[in-house]
Amino acid sequence: MTTESFIESWTSRVEEIRRNGPSISTAILEQVDNSFGWGEADNFTLQYDIKRMNMNIKDNGKGFGSTDAMTRFFKLGEKNDKVSEETIGKYGKGGYMGLINMGHQFNITSYFENKKHCIGTDINTMEE
C-alpha cells in the first residue's frame, strides 16, 4: 500500500470541518482575531443581510501584504512564515476553517502596495 492511499480528499476535509469545526460565533471570532492580530486593524465591522444570507466583514487593517499571503489563506494547513510564539496562527487552520463553516462562497478584498487585490472561492464548486 502506498502513502497515496492515505491522502485526504478536499470533500472529506470540508465535511469534517463542517461537522467538527468551529461554530459560527467562533468562526467570526477567528476573522476578528486575524484582522486585529495580523492586519493590525483597530476597527472591525460585520453586516449581515438576513434576506440574502450574505455576510460582509470589513476592517481597516493593513491587508494581507502580499498575493502569496492571500493565496496561502486558502491552502489547508499552510502557515504564515512569520508565525512565532507571540503571534496567532500557529497551526494555519483557523481562518479557512472559520470561512468554511460560515458559508459556501467567499470573496476577500485586501488593499496593499497601493492596489486593490481580490481572491475568492466557491466551496461547492471546489468539491465538484
Side-chain angles (χ1 to χ4, degrees):
M1 188 176 280
T2 66
T3 57
E4 291 175 0
S5 303
F6 301 103
I7 296 173
E8 185 175 28
S9 72
W10 170 254
T11 301
S12 69
R13 183 68 180 132
V14 168
E15 183 177 334
E16 190 271 329
I17 290 168
R18 288 193 170 145
R19 289 178 187 231
N20 303 313
S23 68
I24 187 71
S25 300
T26 305
I28 291 169
L29 289 174
E30 281 290 344
Q31 306 319 307
V32 172
D33 202 25
N34 285 338
S35 290
F36 292 123
W38 289 108
E40 300 176 8
D42 62 8
N43 190 351
F44 185 91
T45 305
L46 184 142
Q47 298 171 322
Y48 185 68
D49 183 334
I50 294 173
K51 271 186 174 175
R52 292 186 172 88
M53 295 182 68
N54 184 20
M55 185 181 301
N56 190 355
I57 298 173
K58 291 182 181 182
D59 68 47
N60 68 341
K62 63 182 182 179
F64 275 83
S66 72
T67 53
D68 288 341
M70 289 182 80
T71 303
R72 184 178 54 247
F73 185 80
F74 285 100
K75 290 183 180 176
L76 303 183
E78 283 285 319
K79 295 181 193 176
N80 184 333
D81 59 0
K82 296 177 183 153
V83 167
S84 71
E85 287 300 315
E86 291 79 41
T87 62
I88 62 169
K90 292 175 187 63
Y91 305 107
K93 296 180 178 183
Y96 77 80
M97 287 176 70
L99 287 182
I100 287 171
N101 270 354
M102 289 166 58
H104 294 282
Q105 186 174 356
F106 316 102
N107 297 296
I108 296 175
T109 301
S110 186
Y111 298 88
F112 52 90
E113 298 171 350
N114 296 317
K115 294 193 313 193
K116 177 180 177 178
H117 301 269
C118 300
I119 191 170
T121 192
D122 180 316
I123 300 298
N124 292 339
T125 301
M126 290 177 75
E127 286 181 304
E128 292 169 4

